[in-house]
Amino acid sequence: MDGAHPTARSLLSDIFGFDAFRPLQEEIVASVTRGEDVLAILPTGGGKSLCYQLPALLRPGLTVVISPLIALMRDQVRALREAGVAAAALTSGNTQDETDAVYAGLAQGSLKVLYMAPERLATGGTDRLLAQAGVTLLAVDEAHCVSQWGHDFRPDYLRIGALRRALDVPLAAFTATADSETRAEITARLFDGAAPCTFLGGFDRPNIHLAFAPKSKPREQILTFASARKDQSGIVYCGTRAKTETLAKALNDHGLQAAAYHAGMEPDTRREVERRFQTEDGLIVVATVAFGMGIDKPDIRWVAHADLPKSIEAYYQEVGRAGRDGEPAETLTLYGADDIRFRRMQIDESPSPPERRLADHGRLNALLGLAEAQDCRRRKLLAYFEDDEAACGNCDLCAAPPETFDGTEAVMKALSAILRTGESFGVGHLTDVLTGTRTEKVSARGHDRLPTFGVGQDIDRREWAAIFRQMMGHDLVRPDPERHGGLRMTQAARPILKGEQTISLRRDTITSGTRRSAPKALVSDEDAPLLSALKARRRALAEAQRAPAYVIFPDRTLIEMAEKRPATLDQMSHISGVGAKKLERYGQTFLEVINGDAAEVPDHPARRKLAGRAAGEVYDRLLAAQARLNRGADGTGKPMSCSASLLARIAALGPGAGEQLDRLLGDRLAERFGTAFAEILEDG
Ligand code: ADP
Ligand code: ZN
C-alpha cells in the first residue's frame, strides 16, 4: 500500500487486484464512503459487492452486510480473507466454534466486514450485539427481497428498517431489479421514505452473446451446443422436471458432465448439485427455473434454453446468469410452436386476475418478438427495458442478418383457412387444408370444399409450420384453451386480413436449422495448453480448501497469465486480479506452472483420452519438456508451445517417428522442441 492513507484506487489494486472500476463502481464507492444513504441498481455481474466491501475498508469501524444467500456469503467471506480482510459471517450454517470466533472478533473490534443472514435479525439480542460492536455502515444485498410482490420476498428484510434506525448509521442497498415499483418499495421500507442517492446502471451485458433458434431436432441442437463447449460450466433450462432428467442423461451419455436439478428433488441432492456446480470447473446443470437466485457462480460460460422461457424478464434473468465475470459467455434459446402454445395456455389457465394475465401475455409477446426478430436482438431487448440503444455486434442476427420475404399473402391465406374452419383447429389440420391434403378429417368436415382448400400448395409443409409459428410469435393468432388449443385470430391480425398492412417474415428460420456457431475461445490456440495447466493448478488448490475455483483466481486472471507469461513475482504482480496477499500466497506456485519448474498434468481433453495408456505418460513428459523449453534452452526466447491435440498426436507416434515428428511440428516448433521430443519418443 502506498502511504498511510489508502484510497479507493489503491485498495482496488492492492486488495482486490483490479486495475479499473466497472461503470458506476467508483461513484458508488465514493458516495457510500462519504456516509450517504445509497440505492444502487446494477445488472448482475456489475460488481455490486465491491461497492460495499471497498467502503468498509475505507471507513472506520464495522460494516454489516445483510444477504439472503448463505452459500454466497461463505464464498465472499472466503474471498475477502484470501485478500487479507478481516471478514466473517453469522448464519444458521455456522458451527458453534465459528459463531464463538465471530463473537470474539466483535468483542475485540478486529472485524471489518460481517455478513449476516436476514434470519439473524429475528433472533433476540442481535440488535444489542450490533449496537455494541461499533457498526458504522449497513449494506443490504439483493435489496428487492424487501418487496412483498416480488418472487424473492424475505419477511425478515422488513426488520432492516428498524435496525437502521436503532443503529443510526448510513445504509447502502443493492439490487439488479430496477422496475420503479420495486424501487419505491425499497425506498419506503429500508429508508423510511427518504429518497437515497440512487445509481442506476445500464441493463446491457455486452459480453453475453445472444442467439435463438427454432427447434428442429431440439435434443441434438442442445447436445451439439454443449459438446462444442465441453469443460465449460453451463446451465440448460428446461420447461419440465422430467425433461431435466432425460436431457441430463443424454448429455452424460455423450461424455459430458451433467446433473439434473429441479424442485421435486430431495433438498440434500439439490444442495449437492449446487455445491458441485459452484466448485467444479465444467459441470452442466440441467434445470428448471428452480435453479435460480442462489446461483452466484461468476464463471458460468453458457446458458441454453431447451424450451422457451415464460417472459422476456425471465429470459433476461436466466441468460444473465452467464458471464458475470465479464468474460465472453454464450447463450442459445430454442423455441417452437409447441412452446408458444404451452406458454399461452399456462397464462390462460393461471388463477391470476384478468389484468395480470393480459400483462403476462404482453411479456410473452415481447419475448416472442425477440425470438422472431429480424435485426439485432440486443437492441430489441434493451429497448424493452428502456435502456439506451447500445452497440451490439454480439448476437446471431448482427453476425448474419436473416433473409426476409413479404409474407402478407401467405398470412392472409392462413387467416382465411382459420376463419373458414371456424377458428377451432390446430396447425396440422390447417396445413392439410392449405396444401390441399385430403385427410379423413378434412373430408369428414367437408373442408375440401372450402375455397381455401389447396390455395397454399406452392408452400411446403415445413414452411407452413414456420409461417404459423411466426404468426403466433407476432401474436396474430392464439391457441384457444376453450377449443382444445384451436387457433383464433387476434385483433392484431385484422389490418393484415383487410389488406391495410403488410408483414415481413424470416426465411432463414424456415429453411436452415440452427446455424452452427463456433464456441468462443478464451485464449489463442498457442496459449490454450498453458491455460488448462493453470486451471488444473487452481482446481487442486481450490479442492484442498474446499472452495470454488474462482476464490483462488478468476478466469480473467488465469487468461492474462497464459497470455503474458510472467517470469518473475514482480511481473506476476502486474496481472489483473493478483493483489498483494494473493501474490504472496499463490504467486510462486503459478509461476512454476508457467515457467515449467514443475511438470503440470493438464486436464485437457486430448490428454484425458490418453489416460492410463503408455501414451499418456509420454504426453506428460512432452508437456514437461515443452514447459522447460517454453522460452528456449537459454530462457530468453519468445514463448512457444504446441496445442494439446498436437501433443496428443505426437505422443501417439512412438519410437522411430523421425520425419513424421518434424512434419507434425512444422519448422518453427521443430527447431525449439524437435530434439527433446524425439528423445522422449525414443525411450517412450
Ligand atoms: P454482482 O453482485 O453485481 O452480480 P459481483 O459483485 O459478484 O457482481 O461481481 C461479479 C464479478 O466481477 C466478481 O467475480 C468480481 O470479483 C468481479 N469484479 C467486480 N468488480 C470488478 C472490477 N472493477 N474489475 C474486475 N472484476 C471485477
Ligand atoms: Zn446484435
Side-chain angles (χ1 to χ4, degrees):
M1 252 168 258
D2 36 19
H5 294 290
T7 61
R9 283 199 169 261
S10 71
L11 290 180
L12 181 71
S13 64
D14 292 342
I15 299 290
F16 298 92
F18 301 139
D19 31 48
F21 283 107
R22 294 219 174 122
L24 287 183
Q25 273 183 333
E26 189 162 26
E27 291 86 334
I28 298 170
V29 166
S31 176
V32 175
T33 306
R34 279 196 298 270
E36 291 160 356
D37 283 335
V38 166
L39 169 58
I41 300 142
L42 288 182
T44 308
K48 290 184 277 296
S49 329
L50 189 91
C51 297
Y52 52 80
Q53 292 171 345
L54 235 176
L57 300 180
L58 286 167
R59 289 173 62 84
L62 173 69
T63 292
V64 169
V65 183
I66 316 276
S67 163
L69 309 167
I70 295 184
L72 176 70
M73 282 192 260
R74 288 181 168 269
D75 291 345
Q76 298 226 341
V77 167
R78 227 179 243 143
L80 283 171
R81 287 196 185 149
E82 285 289 314
V85 176
L90 269 185
T91 76
S92 55
N94 280 24
T95 62
Q96 189 57 46
D97 282 355
E98 284 170 330
T99 304
D100 291 347
V102 174
Y103 284 160
L106 286 175
Q108 291 160 9
S110 57
L111 276 182
K112 284 306 289 177
V113 184
L114 175 66
Y115 281 81
M116 251 175 51
E119 294 73 32
R120 281 306 291 205
L121 302 179
T123 38
T126 301
D127 285 15
R128 198 161 8 94
L129 177 76
L130 294 180
Q132 292 163 357
V135 179
T136 55
L137 172 65
L138 262 185
V140 181
D141 208 355
E142 314 286 350
H144 62 281
C145 289
V146 81
S147 158
Q148 275 172 297
W149 311 111
H151 306 291
D152 298 328
F153 177 53
R154 295 294 184 105
D156 288 319
Y157 262 59
L158 298 175
R159 301 174 185 274
I160 297 174
L163 177 67
R164 183 187 65 89
R165 260 173 273 140
L167 295 174
D168 192 24
V169 294
L171 187 148
F174 300 86
T175 178
T177 308
D179 63 85
S180 44
E181 292 88 355
T182 312
R183 238 187 289 169
E185 268 190 276
I186 293 175
T187 303
R189 295 179 199 281
L190 294 185
F191 298 99
D192 286 331
C197 297
T198 301
F199 298 86
L200 181 59
F203 278 87
D204 194 15
R205 305 280 308 281
N207 60 315
I208 301 182
H209 184 263
L210 305 177
F212 282 68
K215 288 183 181 178
S216 54
K217 292 178 184 148
R219 174 173 296 202
E220 253 167 59
Q221 286 168 295
I222 296 290
L223 286 174
T224 309
F225 185 81
S227 305
R229 288 154 188 81
K230 201 167 187 269
D231 297 322
Q232 300 186 354
S233 301
I235 305 177
V236 183
Y237 280 111
C238 300
T240 63
R241 292 176 180 185
K243 190 157 171 184
T244 63
E245 307 205 344
T246 54
L247 198 51
K249 183 168 180 312
L251 287 161
N252 280 315
D253 291 347
H254 247 71
L256 300 164
Q257 297 275 347
Y261 185 103
H262 57 73
M265 287 170 22
E266 291 296 321
D268 281 350
T269 321
R270 282 207 326 253
R271 264 195 296 276
E272 174 59 13
V273 175
E274 286 168 6
R275 190 197 62 74
R276 281 186 61 199
F277 189 61
Q278 205 79 8
T279 47
E280 286 179 20
D281 219 1
L283 184 69
I284 302 169
V285 174
V286 189
T288 59
V289 291
F291 194 61
M293 157 143 138
I295 308 315
D296 261 295
K297 190 176 164 66
D299 52 356
I300 299 172
R301 294 271 66 89
W302 56 269
V303 168
H305 285 106
D307 299 301
L308 185 77
K310 74 171 205 277
S311 67
I312 194 161
E313 283 86 355
Y315 168 80
Y316 178 78
Q317 197 172 55
E318 286 153 22
V319 297
R321 302 221 157 93
R324 286 186 32 186
D325 55 6
E327 296 307 313
E330 294 175 280
T331 67
L332 173 67
T333 301
L334 299 183
Y335 67 105
D338 286 340
D339 290 283
I340 306 178
R341 215 166 4 239
F342 170 71
R343 292 299 185 191
R344 288 264 182 247
M345 306 280 265
Q346 215 179 20
I347 298 170
D348 284 328
E349 286 162 8
S350 87
S352 347
E355 328 73 83
R356 178 67 201 261
R357 292 204 298 259
L358 192 68
D360 285 344
H361 278 300
R363 295 190 180 103
L364 176 57
N365 281 349
L367 178 60
L368 293 172
L370 201 59
E372 302 289 9
Q374 300 184 358
D375 50 26
C376 182
R377 299 201 201 269
R378 187 174 313 274
R379 270 209 303 272
K380 240 190 157 73
L381 178 66
L382 293 178
Y384 178 84
F385 290 112
E386 292 169 20
D387 197 343
D388 301 347
E389 282 189 14
C392 175
N394 198 16
C395 79
D396 53 349
L397 298 182
C398 277
E403 192 193 325
T404 58
F405 68 99
D406 183 350
T408 314
E409 195 186 316
V411 168
M412 283 167 111
K413 285 176 182 170
L415 289 172
S416 135
I418 288 170
L419 292 173
R420 286 184 191 274
T421 53
E423 299 187 292
S424 309
F425 295 91
V427 173
H429 184 74
L430 292 167
T431 307
D432 289 337
V433 173
L434 285 161
T435 54
T437 312
R438 219 171 244 102
T439 64
E440 238 169 73
K441 190 166 163 188
V442 168
S443 311
R445 313 257 164 166
H447 289 163
D448 48 354
R449 297 194 299 277
L450 293 174
T452 29
F453 185 73
V455 294
Q457 268 166 342
D458 52 327
I459 296 176
D460 71 24
R461 294 188 74 88
R462 250 180 36 154
E463 290 177 51
W464 273 119
I467 292 170
F468 276 111
R469 194 201 66 236
Q470 293 185 69
M471 287 171 66
M472 286 191 236
H474 288 101
D475 204 17
L476 305 178
V477 294
R478 278 192 194 182
D480 183 348
E482 320 257 273
R483 301 186 201 195
H484 309 293
L487 290 180
R488 289 186 76 127
M489 193 175 102
T490 65
Q491 287 302 324
R494 238 160 248 292
I496 297 177
L497 192 65
K498 287 201 257 169
E500 295 165 4
Q501 203 177 298
T502 59
I503 180 163
S504 138
L505 297 180
R506 301 173 41 153
R507 172 97 57 200
D508 62 340
T509 65
I510 299 177
T511 45
S512 70
T514 318
R515 245 173 285 142
R516 207 148 290 220
S517 70
K520 295 220 165 53
L522 292 171
V523 294
S524 70
D525 255 12
E526 189 154 305
D527 296 330
L530 178 54
L531 180 60
S532 27
L534 290 166
K535 281 188 170 181
R537 175 60 54 94
R538 177 178 68 174
R539 181 166 27 218
L541 290 166
E543 270 164 18
Q545 303 179 23
R546 301 184 55 84
Y550 61 82
V551 167
I552 312 285
F553 280 129
D555 281 1
R556 161 87 331 229
T557 301
L558 298 193
I559 290 166
E560 227 183 285
M561 283 184 199
E563 284 169 345
K564 298 200 175 143
R565 307 190 180 219
T568 62
L569 279 174
D570 194 45
Q571 290 170 5
M572 182 65 104
S573 73
H574 296 308
I575 302 282
S576 153
V578 184
K581 261 274 152 12
K582 290 201 177 173
L583 181 69
E584 188 187 313
R585 205 165 297 180
Y586 304 123
Q588 191 56 41
T589 173
F590 283 90
L591 273 181
E592 280 168 11
V593 177
I594 297 166
N595 298 292
D597 296 328
E600 187 65 6
V601 181
D603 186 42
H604 194 281
R607 167 67 179 86
R608 242 184 272 145
K609 273 193 215 118
L610 302 175
R613 306 215 312 248
E617 248 182 76
V618 175
Y619 179 103
D620 292 345
R621 276 162 47 214
L622 291 171
L623 195 73
Q626 160 169 294
R628 196 175 64 239
L629 295 171
N630 177 259
R631 285 169 190 270
D634 58 0
T636 59
K638 183 182 169 313
M640 258 190 210
S641 56
C642 312
S643 72
S645 57
L646 178 58
L647 282 186
R649 262 180 289 153
I650 295 171
L653 285 178
E659 254 184 57
Q660 232 178 328
L661 172 63
D662 286 346
R663 220 175 315 119
L664 274 179
L665 281 173
D667 292 343
R668 217 167 46 91
L669 291 170
E671 196 188 324
R672 170 87 44 104
F673 302 119
T675 318
F677 284 8
E679 274 172 28
I680 292 170
L681 291 178
E682 282 317 312
D683 43 66

